[in-house]
Amino acid sequence: MEHQLLHTCLQSLNDNNNPLSLQALASLRSLIINPNTSDSTIYSILETLTRSLQLRTNSLTTHHHILKLLTDLASHRTHLSSQILNSIHYSSLLFTESIQIATESLTSLASIANSDHNKIDDQLFMSLCFAATSTSARLRLLRNGERLGIGMHVLFTVFLGFTEDPYPYVRKASLDGLLGLCKSGNVFEDISVIEGCYFRAVELLQDKEHSVRSAAIRVVSEWGQMLIAAKEENDKIDWSNQVFVQLCSMVRDMSVEVRVEAFNALGKIKLVSEDILLQTLSKKVLAIMKEKNSHGQCTAERFEILASSYAGAFVHGLEDEFHEVRKSACNSLRIHTILYAEFARRSLSLLMDMLNDDSMAVRLEALETLHHMATFECLHVQEIHMHMFLGSLLDNCDLIRSIARKIFKLVKLSNLKLFRSSIHGILQNLERYTKDEADVFSVLFFMGRSHGNFAAHVVKEVSQEIEPVLEGKLVLDSARVAAFLVLAISAPLSQNQNGQNIPPRLFSYAVTLLGRISSALREVVDQDTLLAYLSQCSRSSTRGTEVEESPLLPVVDDAVLTHSRKDVNSPVGVPMLQTGNENSKVQPVISCELEDLATSIVECQADELDEVMKSVNLILARVRDAWLLVQSRCTNVAVRALRDCKRELAMLTSASLESAGILAFTMQYLQVMKLFAKIWEHVVWKIRSDETGGLEYLFGKLDVRLRELRYRYIGFSKEEELYVLELIVVACMLRLSKVEICCSPTTMKKLSAIISHIEILNDKGPIEPSNILMDAKKTVHEIESSKAGISCSLFLITNLVDFFTLKQFSLCSRVRHINAELDVPGNDSENPLPFVSGLPVAIPLDITLYNVSSENRLWLTIRMSQESTQFVFLDLNILGGCNEVKKFTFMAPFYRTPKARSFSSWISIGMECALEDCHLVKHCGGPKRKLVYLCQEKEVHLCLVRRD
């Protein structure tokens, strides 16, 4: 059958007048991708395709199809790659008079192997580029230059020359090529070459096409920094100023894309003169700038024009009507605010105004910038700013309130009035959002430690609220009272707490709230250390008249102190508190002992969750480095790096549900990225010899992992959810680029559903989709509106995949894991459950659900084989939904008992994917959508009841 099909195809292919030739090509492709095709058939196909490739009578379409078949053959039969490369290389030389055919050949050449094997003559490449009359041909040549092994200086010449092309897409591709040369680490020793590229990009800042101007900004930024590095030390600051000024001239461009790109570039310039930065905060040209007659390499007249162009640059950005520009301007300010105190002071007023912005993304970016300033101790809040600053503590967004509280942990307040206002605002946050209690307590502890005298003064003012009200009863269940107690116990730990004493009885009150307070302060102190500290401070009430002050107050006794020292060898390294014998008095807490306790508390290990979060984010940062290796064709090295990350992650332990959820998510993410790396090697680089079945297996496994990543973890921020959706989009596009292994309508439907969900997310609150998501959205709309469908738009998908770059990802939310545990008590192979053939049997199950709510639709799956599966719905409204942990016993009915002496079935718990409308499944009485499984399958053993 194989030889008959081959004979028919070759005969049709050799007959150039036969209209069935293209059908023959399609049939040949089925033989090429079939892993069972014999070697003799493959060699016959290669010989015929090589001969057909050299025929001058071929049409462009036929030539294109032949090249595609050869490319597929090289990817499936890697041992033939060298021979195929030589054939295509010869073809590119043979058809130099046909630019289109030669370009097609070079494009195929670039897609088969790396540049070491693709090396072609530089002169040929240049002649093809400058002789190409087709825009698409020039674009292909420019985009594949590096992959064809063209010399750096030849590429530079070609890219620079084509920046003057009449077509904007070619000019943009040329600028992108110049940017790639800069980022690839190539060294240009001739400074005149760098200057030539830089000034050409400066000229293109005035291009009529906005995409060209955006590309020109990126080139000005990167090559400008290269130019600064090449200059003498005395000239660096002048050139840095000049590059900065050139970029400032673009912040009022008519295009939103250009303005965003301009502010992104401004944030990359590391050092700028203070007077220029101050001018960007004022629309009116400052007097000091008018006194300048020249600047860097500019004439006085030119500089006067530039001075007007960058006057108020950041003001314009922060006042822009588009939130994308405002966000970029906030981000750009961040790097410069830590350079000069005066610039930071003037920037502060502008940033405070942004805290009232309509866009949540802008408010977040402004707060991140303020947090950056506070970290470097250049945030000096004044009374005029407090109203806007405190307003962030009452924002509806959890993330905004969280970042605002982080700033209060670091900020240094200059007077008692500001401190009192801050405490009042933080308590308002606590009253309105009780779920923020733990974080609020932590902020108060840090503020009290940083402002000891102010904290003691405020505690003294509110002491009446803390004291017993009736018959010596305390009102410690009040969150407000508990907050003041946290502030009180932190004041003695301050180095600047002089003369203001905290009444020792307050430490006794705090002991009654030990669990509540220690939970909030896990990042700085463990519970045993905190108890020892409170106990010792409370026992200082035995001094003087304090002992008679309130005999009904709870004072910690020696037993508590003894208990607090039970773990002397604790990893936190806190020294054991020394006490006397039973007859001796506990020594009062003197200043040096208190300092030792304060040091112990500050230096003790962070709580488990935050430590896990820090470790996980360090691992996630290495994932992006591994992905860069994948894009550099070092897939094996990248996979080893991901395996190292998994081993390191496995060493982290968890004792809480929250940390366990974060570790489980990270492990799942690492598995997803490992699958992406393997698929990328197949689809993009085409250097794997595995057959189509193996690739389909990888895609299937990736789909399952991504589905679990999306549905089995909750608590994501919008940015984190968007990142997961982006991975799903890229997986869909990878599938679409390999149409022979998938059903493209199904994948397109899924891709369209994801894009729609992203738009819904955007409606609920402003988010920033990445370029790949925006491009994917456009491509989906183009394909859906195209009558030809996916087949004619495949190149759009392929281009998107080629330009995908993994963003840096880190967890900032406390992700929770939807999980389940399943057990059949007392059941094993030696103790099977009894059943009667043909009658239902009840299987007792102990089920534990984690983080499952009543909104989730859960199903028990009971299977005897892949073809025979029974579904049982778990109605959580009856069984009781849960947010954290729910345990119950359930009798699962199994109706399909066979006629056998014994049998085994496998039981698992699955959850319906609520948003998977494009994956409806047909199960009679079962789930309507695909399931993600919450636990491993549990084997159940059953044995036929004997009849005596």
Side-chain angles (χ1 to χ4, degrees):
M1 189 69 182
E2 175 185 307
H3 294 290
Q4 183 180 356
L5 176 61
L6 176 63
H7 176 74
T8 303
C9 293
L10 297 184
Q11 184 179 10
S12 177
L13 185 62
N14 291 328
D15 184 2
N16 294 309
N17 297 318
N18 193 333
L20 296 177
S21 294
L22 292 182
Q23 294 183 9
L25 289 171
S27 300
L28 284 177
R29 191 166 191 272
S30 66
L31 291 173
I32 290 173
I33 65 176
N34 188 345
N36 298 318
T37 303
S38 64
D39 289 341
S40 60
T41 300
I42 291 296
Y43 280 110
S44 298
I45 293 173
L46 175 59
E47 181 182 354
T48 302
L49 291 176
T50 302
R51 187 171 61 254
S52 300
L53 189 66
Q54 300 170 6
L55 294 176
R56 296 179 179 272
T57 56
N58 286 337
S59 65
L60 180 61
T61 303
T62 302
H63 196 87
H64 169 79
H65 282 287
I66 294 174
L67 286 171
K68 183 65 173 66
L69 286 176
L70 285 171
T71 303
D72 289 338
L73 187 56
S75 65
H76 288 81
R77 312 283 177 167
T78 54
H79 63 283
L80 300 176
S81 295
S82 178
Q83 185 177 347
I84 295 172
L85 281 170
N86 292 333
S87 299
I88 298 177
H89 193 174
Y90 177 75
S91 170
S92 65
L93 297 175
L94 187 65
F95 288 97
T96 52
E97 72 280 1
S98 175
I99 303 300
Q100 286 291 90
I101 292 180
T103 302
E104 286 275 358
S105 299
L106 293 182
T107 302
S108 298
L109 197 65
S111 67
I112 292 179
N114 57 42
S115 57
D116 293 335
H117 295 89
N118 287 345
K119 181 68 178 175
I120 67 169
D121 183 72
D122 291 348
Q123 189 64 38
L124 170 63
F125 178 77
M126 289 187 66
S127 62
L128 288 175
C129 286
F130 289 105
T133 57
S134 167
T135 305
S136 62
R138 295 199 295 277
L139 278 174
R140 288 186 177 185
L141 289 167
L142 292 175
R143 289 171 178 172
N144 289 310
E146 289 187 75
R147 298 171 70 178
L148 291 170
I150 307 302
M152 177 183 66
H153 289 89
V154 173
L155 282 177
F156 176 83
T157 304
V158 171
F159 290 148
L160 193 62
F162 276 97
T163 57
E164 298 183 358
D165 193 275
Y167 290 91
Y169 291 121
V170 178
R171 296 198 297 274
K172 180 184 181 300
S174 301
L175 288 169
D176 290 340
L178 289 172
L179 186 64
L181 289 179
C182 181
K183 290 186 174 182
S184 64
N186 290 318
V187 179
F188 292 85
E189 298 179 355
D190 190 346
I191 195 170
S192 62
V193 171
I194 303 175
E195 289 180 349
C197 179
Y198 169 78
F199 285 116
R200 176 57 188 149
V202 169
E203 293 175 13
L204 288 174
L205 292 176
Q206 308 305 318
D207 196 276
K208 293 181 180 180
E209 178 63 34
H210 69 89
S211 62
V212 178
R213 297 198 298 275
S214 296
I217 287 174
R218 294 190 289 269
V219 174
V220 167
S221 174
E222 297 295 336
W223 281 79
Q225 292 178 68
M226 187 189 298
L227 184 60
I228 294 168
K231 292 292 182 180
E232 299 292 336
E233 289 298 326
N234 297 334
D235 297 331
K236 286 184 184 296
I237 185 64
D238 290 337
W239 276 96
S240 184
N241 289 339
Q242 181 175 339
V243 175
F244 185 84
V245 167
Q246 290 287 2
L247 295 172
C248 281
S249 66
M250 304 302 294
V251 300
R252 283 177 283 185
D253 192 272
M254 293 296 292
S255 168
V256 177
E257 176 189 342
V258 173
R259 298 200 297 275
V260 170
E261 201 66 59
F263 281 111
N264 289 342
L266 287 174
K268 297 178 181 178
I269 308 301
K270 305 301 182 185
L271 184 62
V272 185
S273 296
E274 184 178 16
D275 51 3
I276 292 180
L277 285 175
L278 292 175
Q279 181 62 77
T280 61
L281 300 180
S282 173
K283 293 181 180 180
K284 182 180 179 181
V285 178
L286 301 176
I288 188 173
M289 303 305 298
K290 292 181 179 179
E291 295 174 2
K292 290 181 175 288
N293 295 322
S294 63
H295 181 72
Q297 302 298 311
C298 301
T299 63
E301 180 180 358
R302 175 61 177 163
F303 179 75
E304 188 66 26
I305 297 174
L306 290 175
S308 300
S309 69
Y310 67 80
F314 281 118
V315 179
H316 286 294
L318 296 174
E319 294 177 349
D320 197 277
E321 61 178 315
F322 290 92
H323 75 274
E324 296 91 345
V325 182
R326 300 196 298 274
K327 178 184 176 183
S328 181
C330 287
N331 182 276
S332 181
L333 267 175
R334 186 178 307 173
I335 187 65
H336 303 298
T337 52
I338 65 175
L339 297 178
Y340 305 106
E342 181 63 19
F343 181 73
R345 185 185 67 80
R346 297 192 187 184
S347 299
L348 184 58
S349 297
L350 297 174
L351 289 169
M352 286 296 178
D353 290 339
M354 305 311 295
L355 298 183
N356 199 32
D357 195 274
D358 293 336
S359 168
M360 182 184 69
V362 175
R363 299 199 300 275
L364 284 172
E365 198 65 45
L367 284 169
E368 289 287 2
T369 301
L370 292 172
H371 183 262
H372 185 74
M373 295 170 65
T375 302
F376 288 90
E377 299 183 353
C378 58
L379 177 62
H380 304 289
V381 181
Q382 304 298 321
E383 185 175 354
I384 192 175
H385 304 138
M386 288 306 295
H387 175 69
M388 297 298 299
F389 204 4
L390 294 174
S392 299
L393 292 171
L394 304 178
D395 196 280
N396 291 328
C397 176
D398 295 346
L399 189 55
I400 287 180
R401 297 198 306 276
S402 176
I403 297 176
R405 289 192 294 266
K406 288 179 181 179
I407 297 173
F408 275 105
K409 283 185 179 183
L410 300 173
V411 73
K412 299 295 187 295
L413 300 172
S414 58
N415 57 62
L416 178 60
K417 185 177 181 180
L418 289 177
F419 184 82
R420 191 185 287 116
S421 298
S422 301
I423 298 300
H424 177 69
I426 293 170
L427 291 177
Q428 280 187 313
N429 175 191
L430 179 60
E431 291 171 4
R432 182 173 296 187
Y433 303 99
T434 55
K435 63 181 179 180
D436 294 347
E437 179 181 284
D439 207 10
V440 167
F441 285 0
S442 178
V443 173
L444 291 171
F445 184 83
F446 276 90
M447 290 187 68
R449 231 174 50 179
S450 303
H451 308 81
N453 282 328
F454 295 162
H457 199 284
V458 169
V459 170
K460 184 177 180 181
E461 290 176 349
V462 300
S463 58
Q464 293 301 318
E465 295 186 42
I466 307 175
E467 296 297 334
V469 288
L470 291 173
E471 300 178 357
K473 294 181 180 180
L474 300 174
V475 193
L476 297 181
D477 58 341
S478 167
R480 180 180 174 87
V481 172
F484 282 129
L485 286 176
V486 172
L487 189 64
I489 66 176
S490 65
L493 301 175
S494 174
Q495 295 181 354
N496 61 356
Q497 204 260 337
N498 301 313
Q500 295 284 351
N501 293 322
I502 302 296
R505 62 184 179 277
L506 298 186
F507 295 91
S508 294
Y509 299 164
V511 170
T512 65
L513 300 173
L514 180 64
R516 195 170 171 185
I517 295 175
S518 65
S519 176
L521 304 183
R522 288 177 300 177
E523 61 183 292
V524 291
V525 61
D526 63 29
Q527 183 168 316
D528 287 343
T529 306
L530 179 62
L531 177 59
Y533 168 64
L534 296 177
S535 302
Q536 190 166 357
C537 290
S538 67
R539 292 189 68 82
S540 64
S541 61
T542 57
R543 292 181 294 170
T545 59
E546 293 284 347
V547 71
E548 304 294 337
E549 197 171 69
S550 181
L552 298 177
L553 296 182
V555 179
V556 181
D557 57 16
D558 289 331
V560 176
L561 278 176
T562 303
H563 173 73
S564 70
R565 299 197 304 270
K566 68 182 183 298
D567 189 10
V568 179
N569 297 320
S570 170
V572 296
V574 179
M576 184 171 65
L577 299 175
Q578 298 297 325
T579 61
N581 56 34
E582 294 181 359
N583 298 321
S584 64
K585 295 182 178 180
V586 178
Q587 297 297 320
V589 180
I590 59 177
S591 59
C592 62
E593 289 177 302
L594 201 54
E595 289 179 5
D596 291 340
L597 279 171
T599 303
S600 299
I601 291 175
V602 173
E603 293 180 353
C604 73
Q605 289 185 344
D607 70 288
E608 179 199 351
L609 181 60
D610 286 340
E611 282 297 320
V612 167
M613 188 77 83
K614 291 176 184 176
S615 301
V616 161
N617 282 332
L618 289 174
I619 291 174
L620 293 176
R622 288 160 53 190
V623 173
R624 185 175 183 275
D625 296 335
W627 186 256
L628 294 176
L629 292 172
V630 174
Q631 292 185 308
S632 301
R633 302 196 179 199
C634 301
T635 308
N636 292 335
V637 180
V639 170
R640 285 198 297 270
L642 292 173
R643 286 173 182 159
D644 291 339
C645 289
K646 289 175 66 175
R647 282 193 289 267
E648 185 176 331
L649 185 69
M651 296 174 64
L652 299 178
T653 58
S654 62
S656 67
L657 287 178
E658 288 183 329
S659 57
I662 292 172
L663 294 178
F665 171 83
T666 309
M667 182 63 74
Q668 187 91 340
Y669 176 69
L670 290 174
Q671 292 170 344
V672 164
M673 295 315 301
K674 183 178 176 182
L675 289 169
F676 264 120
K678 292 182 177 180
I679 291 174
W680 203 267
E681 194 173 29
H682 281 273
V683 177
V684 179
W685 300 136
K686 299 181 176 65
I687 57 178
R688 277 285 183 185
S689 60
D690 296 354
E691 306 301 343
T692 303
L695 183 56
E696 175 61 21
Y697 170 77
L698 290 176
F699 269 121
K701 200 171 180 181
L702 179 62
D703 288 344
V704 172
R705 296 295 187 191
L706 286 172
R707 197 178 301 121
E708 291 178 347
L709 207 62
R710 184 182 182 189
Y711 292 102
R712 289 193 62 189
Y713 300 91
I714 56 177
F716 289 126
S717 66
K718 284 190 176 68
E719 289 75 12
E720 291 164 347
E721 183 177 1
L722 191 67
Y723 184 84
V724 173
L725 293 177
E726 179 176 324
L727 294 179
I728 298 174
V729 168
V730 174
C732 289
M733 293 191 298
L734 284 169
R735 263 191 176 275
L736 290 172
S737 66
K738 297 292 290 183
V739 293
E740 72 272 8
I741 66 165
C742 69
C743 180
S744 58
T746 301
T747 307
M748 278 300 303
K749 189 176 181 181
K750 180 178 180 180
L751 183 57
S752 181
I754 296 294
I755 297 297
S756 299
H757 186 63
I758 292 170
E759 292 175 347
I760 294 173
L761 278 179
N762 198 27
D763 292 339
K764 292 181 179 179
I767 53 176
E768 294 295 325
S770 63
N771 292 334
I772 192 71
L773 289 180
M774 298 301 293
D775 292 340
K777 178 180 177 181
K778 295 177 183 177
T779 302
V780 168
H781 291 328
E782 289 180 16
I783 293 174
E784 290 177 344
S785 60
S786 172
K787 295 181 179 179
I790 185 66
S791 59
C792 293
S793 304
L794 187 59
F795 73 96
L796 296 173
I797 298 291
T798 305
N799 287 340
L800 285 182
V801 170
D802 288 343
F803 289 107
F804 168 69
T805 301
L806 189 73
K807 296 187 299 185
Q808 179 61 59
F809 175 63
S810 60
L811 279 174
C812 59
S813 304
R814 296 187 173 184
V815 178
R816 289 174 292 156
H817 188 199
I818 297 179
N819 201 16
E821 293 178 0
L822 183 65
D823 187 40
V824 185
N827 178 254
D828 54 37
S829 58
E830 296 181 358
N831 298 283
L833 295 175
F835 78 96
V836 176
S837 179
L839 296 179
V841 60
I843 303 175
L845 302 174
D846 287 342
I847 299 175
T848 305
L849 303 177
Y850 299 93
N851 299 309
V852 177
S853 71
S854 57
E855 297 177 356
N856 299 123
R857 290 177 55 84
L858 300 188
W859 295 83
L860 278 176
T861 61
I862 310 175
R863 71 174 182 87
M864 291 181 58
S865 64
Q866 294 294 341
E867 295 77 20
S868 177
T869 302
Q870 177 189 311
F871 296 92
V872 179
F873 181 63
L874 293 177
D875 192 342
L876 296 180
N877 292 316
I878 297 176
L879 298 172
C882 62
N883 290 324
E884 291 187 356
V885 181
K886 176 68 176 179
K887 296 183 178 181
F888 57 90
T889 300
F890 183 77
M891 301 299 291
F894 183 63
Y895 302 102
R896 303 174 182 176
T897 52
K899 294 181 180 180
R901 291 179 177 272
S902 64
F903 73 96
S904 294
S905 63
W906 288 263
I907 301 182
S908 185
I909 299 177
M911 180 178 68
E912 276 195 57
C913 301
L915 301 176
E916 294 281 327
D917 292 334
C918 58
H919 282 85
L920 296 176
V921 293
K922 296 181 180 179
H923 291 300
C924 183
K928 296 181 179 179
R929 296 175 176 85
K930 283 196 173 183
L931 301 178
V932 289
Y933 290 93
L934 307 184
C935 63
Q936 295 289 335
E937 283 188 322
K938 184 75 175 180
E939 185 176 7
V940 181
H941 302 273
L942 298 99
C943 182
L944 186 67
V945 175
R946 295 182 179 179
R947 298 179 180 179
D948 296 330

